[in-house]
Amino acid sequence: MNLADAKKGLQAFVLAVKDAYPDDPIARRLRELGFVDGEPVKVVARSFFGGNPLVVQVGATRFALRRNEAQRITLQLGAA
């Protein structure tokens, strides 16, 4: 499951951040922000219009992500 498809309130762990193409700057920035393997993430809010944007929490920090950014993040449900 990717983060863009996650329902509001879902708690999961980051499994991977996929590069859309080689040396993807958006994927690199997501990793710099803390979306790294094993990090817990929670979907805090979703927009009414297809969940774009959505608000997610990583650690103590919340981020608003566009759908195409959230699609790069693969989640693992349950324990990391």
Side-chain angles (χ1 to χ4, degrees):
M1 161 186 286
N2 69 55
L3 184 56
D5 296 332
K7 303 287 185 202
K8 179 181 174 185
L10 178 82
Q11 295 184 355
F13 296 90
V14 175
L15 184 61
V17 177
K18 296 180 182 176
D19 290 85
Y21 48 87
D23 203 25
D24 182 358
I26 293 173
R28 184 179 61 235
R29 183 66 178 144
L30 288 169
R31 290 183 199 102
E32 290 171 352
L33 290 173
F35 293 92
V36 294
D37 186 23
E39 192 66 28
V41 61
K42 178 181 179 182
V43 178
V44 176
R46 298 181 61 93
S47 169
F48 290 113
F49 305 106
N52 192 18
L54 67 153
V55 178
V56 298
Q57 183 167 340
V58 177
T61 307
R62 292 182 177 189
F63 300 97
L65 298 178
R66 295 179 186 97
R67 184 168 180 77
N68 67 339
E69 296 165 341
Q71 287 174 327
R72 288 174 167 88
I73 302 169
T74 304
L75 300 178
Q76 177 182 9
L77 302 177

